[in-house]
Amino acid sequence: MEDLVSGDQEINRGGFIMSNNIRWICENQGVEMTIVLKVETIFGIKFPKDYVECILKNDGGYPKPNRFTLNGNEEVFNNLLSLDEEDVSNIIETYNDVKDRLIERVIPFAEDPFGNLICFDYRNNEQPTIVFWQHEKAFNNKQAATKHLCDSFNDLLLMLHESKE
């Protein structure tokens, strides 16, 4: 049975609290901090605090609204990848499936319905930026397949909107 988790996601940007009313449709009950720490150890990274706060309640969740714009195209944030190893759409399995086509230190955390991934990019900093990874382009060119989306997980949540169709 699906749980509907709703509420304002309050985001502190430069001292200002911004709000984006995101509802999360979740099949999972959330994830324990011990699992978050285990996954961080596997990847050798530290997830951003805003992302961790979200997945503790919404692991594997589907956000509503779920659209964002990248280079003039409307894209879909389908769901967060689960940190639960038992989940079909889990972060470790997804990474292992595509790691040969990903740039090093780019870690997927969400997916669209078409096989593309939303990832943390740890190449330049311990605080990652967010990139959109296009799986078909990655067969030919890893760099061209990876496009900067925004600077933080909170910024991504602020970008989400209803479909323009």
Side-chain angles (χ1 to χ4, degrees), residues 68-75 147-149 159 161 164:
F68 61 93
T69 303
L70 176 63
N71 297 332
N73 296 319
E74 189 173 84
E75 304 290 351
K147 300 285 184 204
H148 179 266
L149 184 55
M159 293 173 70
H161 59 80
K164 294 179 182 176

Side-chain angles (χ1 to χ4, degrees), residues 17 57 92 104-105 118 126 129 132 134 151 158:
I17 300 292
K57 297 179 203 164
I92 296 166
E104 191 173 331
R105 302 200 36 85
I118 304 169
E126 286 183 24
T129 59
F132 187 67
Q134 296 171 297
D151 291 333
L158 284 173

Side-chain angles (χ1 to χ4, degrees), residues 56-125:
L56 288 174
K57 297 179 203 164
N58 307 303
D59 184 54
Y62 295 75
K64 299 294 178 200
N66 68 345
R67 306 299 170 101
F68 61 93
T69 303
L70 176 63
N71 297 332
N73 296 319
E74 189 173 84
E75 304 290 351
V76 179
F77 181 142
N78 194 61
N79 63 284
L80 291 166
L81 296 171
S82 177
L83 273 66
D84 183 347
E85 293 177 40
E86 302 299 316
D87 195 300
V88 173
S89 186
N90 79 67
I91 194 168
I92 296 166
E93 291 284 326
T94 300
Y95 175 80
N96 285 336
D97 287 346
V98 300
K99 68 183 176 186
D100 60 320
R101 294 181 283 144
L102 278 174
I103 297 170
E104 191 173 331
R105 302 200 36 85
V106 171
I107 309 294
F109 67 87
E111 60 189 351
D112 77 1
F114 314 109
N116 303 311
L117 299 168
I118 304 169
C119 306
F120 290 120
D121 184 349
Y122 287 91
R123 288 179 289 174
N124 297 321
N125 200 328

